[in-house]
Amino acid sequence: MENEIFQLQYALDTFYFLVCGALVMWMAAGFAMLEAGLVRSKNTTEILTKNVALFAVACTMYMVCGYSIMYGGGDFTMFLSGIMGDGVAGAEEPAAYAPSADFYFQVVFVATEM
């Protein structure tokens, strides 16, 4: 019974991270629409391209160095090692959620703040 409860908690926490990350990502789209509304129509494409480029750069840089610094990986050559696992198999203390869902949740905040 305890294993089923842990599996349900793991699934719900991971789902919650993904849904909340998607909502934050829509917040970035709202900021893009706000900026597009504040410029002349001939500059709208440039503003939207800038927002997509900033999102891509922020996500890439967070993946390369930010995640390692934030979670204490320290080894920059294996920057995805903490994200790839499921947080349960082979872990000393099982995680309550998937590390990849946590990465997505954190990266959308990084990209929104740019």
Side-chain angles (χ1 to χ4, degrees):
M1 180 69 171
E2 186 175 319
N3 190 29
E4 287 86 12
I5 293 173
F6 176 76
Q7 289 176 352
L8 179 63
Q9 175 192 358
Y10 185 86
L12 288 175
D13 287 349
T14 300
F15 180 73
Y16 185 69
F17 267 116
L18 294 175
V19 168
C20 290
L23 291 174
V24 172
M25 200 167 187
W26 277 107
M27 187 172 71
F31 288 145
M33 295 299 111
L34 173 68
E35 290 180 24
L38 292 175
V39 298
R40 294 176 62 183
S41 61
K42 68 177 188 165
N43 297 328
T44 302
T45 305
E46 181 181 345
I47 289 294
L48 296 178
T49 304
K50 176 195 72 93
N51 283 328
V52 170
L54 280 175
F55 207 86
V57 169
C59 292
T60 304
M61 292 309 296
Y62 181 74
M63 182 178 65
V64 169
C65 61
Y67 190 80
S68 299
I69 294 169
M70 186 173 178
Y71 288 102
D75 186 11
F76 290 114
T77 59
M78 298 296 290
F79 57 88
L80 289 177
S81 62
I83 303 168
M84 295 303 213
D86 62 0
V88 178
E92 294 174 9
E93 191 173 314
Y97 50 83
S100 54
D102 179 45
F103 172 78
Y104 172 71
F105 184 72
Q106 299 296 335
V107 82
V108 294
F109 275 104
V110 168
T112 300
E113 294 299 320
M114 296 300 287

